[in-house]
Amino acid sequence: MAVFHRAGHEQVNVFDVDGIYLFKHYFEGEEVFARLKQYYNNQQYRFEVSPEDFDEIQAFLDTHGYGLVLVDALDLFVVVVRKYTAHPDNIFKKSVIQRSVDDYNCFLMVDQVAVVQAVYEGATRLTDTNLKNPF
């Protein structure tokens, strides 16, 4: 994963899934959200940015105190839960996208804090299973 070092910037993880950059974050300020609104998926509560627009959006957010970091190790951000069982409380809010594989629901989490919390609440890291990454 790329490392972001600029002081005063809030890191936002970005995931390349099927050729679209996905991220979930609450951005402060009307100007920021107004600029990003066209990329916001209201049904999935996430931003979806095409590769053609990514550099421009990244530069814009950089000037407003947000550092977009493209995650290259998606497996480390995926947790799994058996279908038809109780899911950790915050898993839907803190996941960027969900897909099913075999008898499991797989969730791509926004950051490592969300991964740790989901595991603490009963999810399993993808890397601790034999499942293939669906993302």
Side-chain angles (χ1 to χ4, degrees):
M1 179 171 76
V3 178
F4 190 80
H5 292 290
R6 184 176 291 172
H9 271 56
E10 189 170 346
Q11 177 179 316
V12 178
N13 290 327
V14 180
F15 305 92
D16 181 350
V17 177
D18 300 331
I20 299 293
Y21 293 114
L22 305 178
F23 55 97
K24 187 182 273 191
H25 190 78
Y26 176 78
F27 294 100
E28 298 284 336
E30 291 179 28
E31 178 187 359
V32 174
F33 187 74
R35 175 67 179 89
L36 297 177
K37 189 174 183 176
Q38 73 186 59
Y39 302 103
Y40 191 67
N41 180 324
N42 288 324
Q43 278 94 27
Q44 301 297 322
Y45 305 105
R46 68 178 177 226
F47 294 93
E48 302 173 351
V49 179
S50 68
E52 298 80 30
D53 295 343
F54 183 74
D55 289 342
E56 180 183 336
I57 294 301
Q58 187 174 35
F60 170 79
L61 287 172
D62 184 60
T63 64
H64 287 82
Y66 299 98
L68 295 185
V69 176
L70 187 57
V71 174
D72 56 8
L74 269 60
D75 288 4
L76 300 177
F77 289 81
V78 178
V79 298
V80 301
V81 179
R82 267 202 184 279
K83 288 183 179 178
Y84 315 115
T85 63
H87 287 35
D89 290 336
N90 241 6
I91 202 162
F92 294 103
K93 185 177 180 181
K94 292 294 186 174
S95 65
V96 177
I97 188 171
Q98 179 264 326
R99 290 190 176 155
S100 295
V101 174
D102 298 330
D103 291 328
Y104 294 90
N105 289 319
C106 301
F107 299 88
L108 180 61
M109 307 304 286
V110 296
D111 56 30
Q112 285 301 305
V113 172
V115 169
V116 169
Q117 184 66 34
V119 169
Y120 177 78
E121 294 180 6
T124 303
R125 293 176 185 269
L126 177 70
T127 55
D128 292 337
T129 72
N130 293 327
L131 296 173
K132 183 179 175 188
N133 188 342
F135 306 107

